[in-house]
Each structure stands twice: as structure tokens, then as C-alpha cells.
Amino acid sequence: MSKIIREIQPHWIAISPYLSIRNEEDYDRSVEQLNVLIDIVGTDEDHPMYEYLDTLGTLIYAYEETNYPMPSVRGTEVLSYLMEEHGLRQSDLPEVGSQGVVSEILSGKRELNLRQIRALAKRFHVSPAVFI
């Protein structure tokens, strides 16, 4: 048995519930713990619990990717949703183009170009990737 395994094994029973997410109960507990850690640690990378916060975030992300996959949506669907959420009309998006251009984009007759994607990402404070 390797040295690291010998050193960790006696402690593993105590810490393993905090480092594994196998079901919804584990997931809920981990998310709750992460929220507490964020309140305590924040972004202080020198805090003694920062590495645990980072590790727990990674474990939660992996569980969510497997159990809650994001549906695939088109950029125009995202735009439509954001417009609805913000109470916007087609004419309220001059950074994309005229009302006619926005209409063609939303109907699928025209694709968003890079300039429009950048402008929309900036306006809605989202990653440009959501429109691609």
C-alpha cells in the first residue's frame, strides 16, 4: 500500500461524506455547504478553506453536468427569452439592427453575426457563447 493511502485511510471515513455526491440528498447537502463556504471564504484564495470550496464546487459541477444537463437551445431562442424577460420589443435592440433585421433573426431567416453577438452579450451581461 502506498504511503499516501496509508496516511489518508484513517481519515477517509470522516471526510468522505464531504467529498462525494452520489444522490440528491448528498447534492443538496453539498450545495448548502458550498453556500456557507462562499459566505465565509468569499474569493480569499489564502483562506484555509479555499481549496475545499474549490473542490466542492468542482464536485457539484460534475454532478450537475451528469444529472441536470442543460438543454441545447439556439441563440435566437436565448435572444427571444431575454427579450421577454426584459420586456423588450424588436425595436428596442438597435445594437442588433433595425426592427426588420431583428425580426429576420428571430424568425430564423438571418443568423446573428459576431458584432451582434458581442453587443447582445454586453447588453444582457451573459457569455457570447449563449448566442452561438
Side-chain angles (χ1 to χ4, degrees):
M1 185 183 312
S2 76
K3 181 181 178 191
I4 192 166
I5 293 173
R6 281 193 309 274
E7 289 176 3
I8 292 174
Q9 191 170 359
H11 307 286
W12 184 247
I13 292 172
I15 65 171
S16 67
Y18 303 102
L19 293 172
S20 52
I21 303 173
R22 293 194 172 108
N23 55 45
E24 287 297 312
E25 185 179 322
D26 292 346
Y27 172 76
D28 291 340
R29 185 198 72 248
S30 296
V31 168
E32 185 177 319
Q33 187 64 51
L34 182 66
N35 288 330
V36 170
L37 281 166
I38 289 171
D39 289 342
I40 294 168
V41 176
T43 58
D44 179 5
E45 292 182 17
D46 294 325
H47 192 284
M49 295 301 290
Y50 182 81
E51 292 298 322
Y52 177 49
L53 180 149
D54 188 48
T55 301
L56 189 58
T58 300
L59 292 170
I60 290 169
Y61 177 78
Y63 184 85
E64 289 174 343
E65 284 291 302
T66 301
N67 295 283
Y68 305 113
M70 291 297 291
S72 180
V73 295
R74 295 184 352 255
T76 54
E77 292 172 306
V78 173
L79 178 56
S80 235
Y81 171 79
L82 289 170
M83 288 175 65
E84 184 178 327
E85 284 297 302
H86 292 270
L88 300 173
R89 298 179 312 250
Q90 294 174 358
S91 59
D92 294 328
L93 298 172
E95 63 269 48
V96 174
S98 69
Q99 182 272 328
V101 168
V102 175
S103 178
E104 287 179 353
I105 289 169
L106 292 172
S107 69
K109 293 178 184 173
R110 183 186 287 222
E111 296 287 323
L112 285 166
N113 64 39
L114 188 55
R115 181 195 59 77
Q116 293 164 327
I117 289 171
R118 285 183 181 144
L120 289 168
K122 183 176 179 181
R123 177 182 188 134
F124 293 112
H125 307 284
V126 298
S127 167
V130 302
F131 297 106
I132 297 174

